[in-house]
Amino acid sequence: KPVTAPEGSMVIQAAADAGTHIPYFCYHPSLKPAGLCRMCLVEIEGWPKLQASCTTPVSEGLKVLTKSPKVDHARKDVLEFYLLNHPLDCPICDKAGECQLQDYTFAYARQNSRFRDGEKRRYNYEDLGPKLYRDMDRCVHCLRCVRFCEEIVGDDNLSVFQRGNKTDISIFGSEVVNEYALNIAELCPVGALVSKDFLFKARVWHLKKAETICTSCATGCNIYMESKDQEIQRITPRINKDVNDHWICDFGRLNYKYINSVDRLSEATIR
């Protein structure tokens, strides 16, 4: 399929604009390219090795195969490594139903695991502050959380410790208390970082989404109001590059509980 893309854009974005999805974990259109997860590998005609499509800029005459035996084999290998240590938490994980690892496992992974003996890697469950819990057993080391704090918020107290199989993401100094912290839970592709406010409240496939505008301040962020059984369960951002991009502040995100309150006026009154 012939594709025209702006100069400087990456192959993964050009493919998405042309209607072709390339799987990824670490890539995000509003964060700098990182090339960490190796899930988005593609085959480029004339190039000796598979390339990460999130760090490969488009160029004139580039011929990219997003599906081929080499690409298919690479995706299976990458997912096999991720699934070696990933726990079978789907029945209790808040990310179930919108988890990229779930989707890619169904779409690309081998049907049988070769992991037989030995123990899975384990971390301690950690409280990151008033808004977030961390379960590193689920982490795929995409570092979206750390990059978001550094690039968007300008807050570097969420850091990477150790290397390789022992890589740990934790707090350095103080807790994660910035006003955009709950975007981190949403950014996480696998449920390693979860929102305390939404923890165990509802399954995402039971939620009804309504497009609306946040009224917590004059910015007018585009949002989804998500409800179940006539009660709002959470607010999530709706992408609008000109207003709020992919994010919303925590005040706007959490300012929904008054709507569910029994003390709220339900009819017109006089004095």
Side-chain angles (χ1 to χ4, degrees):
K1 181 191 290 186
V3 173
T4 301
E7 187 177 359
S9 60
M10 300 300 160
V11 167
I12 193 170
Q13 187 60 56
D17 292 342
T20 300
H21 176 73
I22 297 174
Y24 59 86
F25 290 115
C26 69
Y27 170 75
H28 192 280
S30 290
L31 299 177
K32 295 175 184 175
L36 293 166
C37 71
R38 316 313 289 173
M39 193 65 203
C40 70
L41 296 177
V42 293
E43 190 175 352
I44 300 178
E45 192 174 294
W47 294 34
K49 296 180 180 179
L50 299 181
Q51 301 295 317
S53 59
C54 69
T55 57
T56 305
V58 297
S59 59
E60 185 69 31
L62 205 66
K63 293 183 179 179
V64 180
L65 293 173
T66 61
K67 295 178 182 178
S68 73
K70 283 173 90 172
V71 171
D72 186 54
H73 192 274
R75 286 176 186 166
K76 283 179 166 59
D77 286 347
V78 169
L79 281 169
E80 185 171 15
F81 278 115
Y82 283 134
L83 295 170
L84 280 179
N85 288 302
H86 199 82
L88 294 175
D89 273 355
C90 300
I92 61 164
C93 180
D94 272 353
K95 204 71 177 182
E98 53 186 7
C99 171
Q100 288 172 238
L101 184 59
Q102 259 185 347
D103 295 341
Y104 298 156
T105 298
F106 277 107
Y108 305 110
R110 294 185 174 93
Q111 298 304 305
N112 298 300
S113 173
R114 292 184 286 179
F115 185 80
R116 291 289 179 267
D117 302 318
E119 294 184 6
K120 288 178 177 281
R121 178 192 60 205
R122 284 290 173 260
Y123 295 88
N124 293 324
Y125 203 64
E126 187 177 5
D127 190 330
L128 295 185
K131 301 175 184 177
L132 295 169
Y133 279 125
R134 184 211 72 162
D135 187 348
M136 274 296 294
D137 292 343
R138 301 171 184 167
C139 185
V140 292
H141 303 162
C142 69
L143 305 193
R144 276 185 178 187
C145 52
V146 177
R147 291 153 55 212
F148 171 78
C149 288
E150 290 176 351
E151 296 174 26
I152 306 299
V153 182
D155 183 356
D156 59 359
N157 65 337
L158 197 60
S159 305
V160 184
F161 301 86
Q162 305 290 346
R163 292 183 178 184
N165 190 48
K166 295 181 179 179
T167 297
D168 191 10
I169 294 166
S170 186
I171 47 178
F172 183 79
S174 60
E175 298 174 328
V176 182
V177 293
N178 68 70
E179 285 306 310
Y180 290 86
L182 289 176
N183 288 287
I184 298 170
E186 202 162 66
L187 268 178
C188 182
V190 292
L193 291 159
V194 292
S195 161
K196 288 185 177 181
D197 178 70
F198 187 66
L199 192 66
F200 305 139
K201 280 175 69 174
R203 287 316 212 170
V204 296
W205 53 86
H206 292 150
L207 299 178
K208 294 181 179 178
K209 271 189 176 184
E211 294 184 4
T212 185
I213 301 294
C214 180
T215 58
S216 297
C217 77
T219 303
C221 293
N222 290 226
I223 60 170
Y224 292 107
M225 198 82 82
E226 303 188 22
S227 63
K228 177 191 173 190
D229 298 331
Q230 304 301 310
E231 281 200 359
I232 296 167
Q233 303 294 324
R234 68 176 182 178
I235 289 174
T236 53
R238 186 160 49 93
I239 301 169
N240 187 324
K241 288 284 188 180
D242 298 322
V243 182
N244 55 295
D245 200 4
H246 290 76
W247 331 112
I248 54 172
C249 73
D250 291 348
F251 180 77
R253 191 188 289 269
L254 298 175
N255 193 26
Y256 66 86
K257 296 174 185 177
Y258 76 93
I259 301 174
N260 298 332
S261 171
V262 293
D263 298 326
R264 190 182 177 208
L265 287 175
S266 58
E267 58 187 15
T269 60
I270 299 175
R271 295 183 182 173

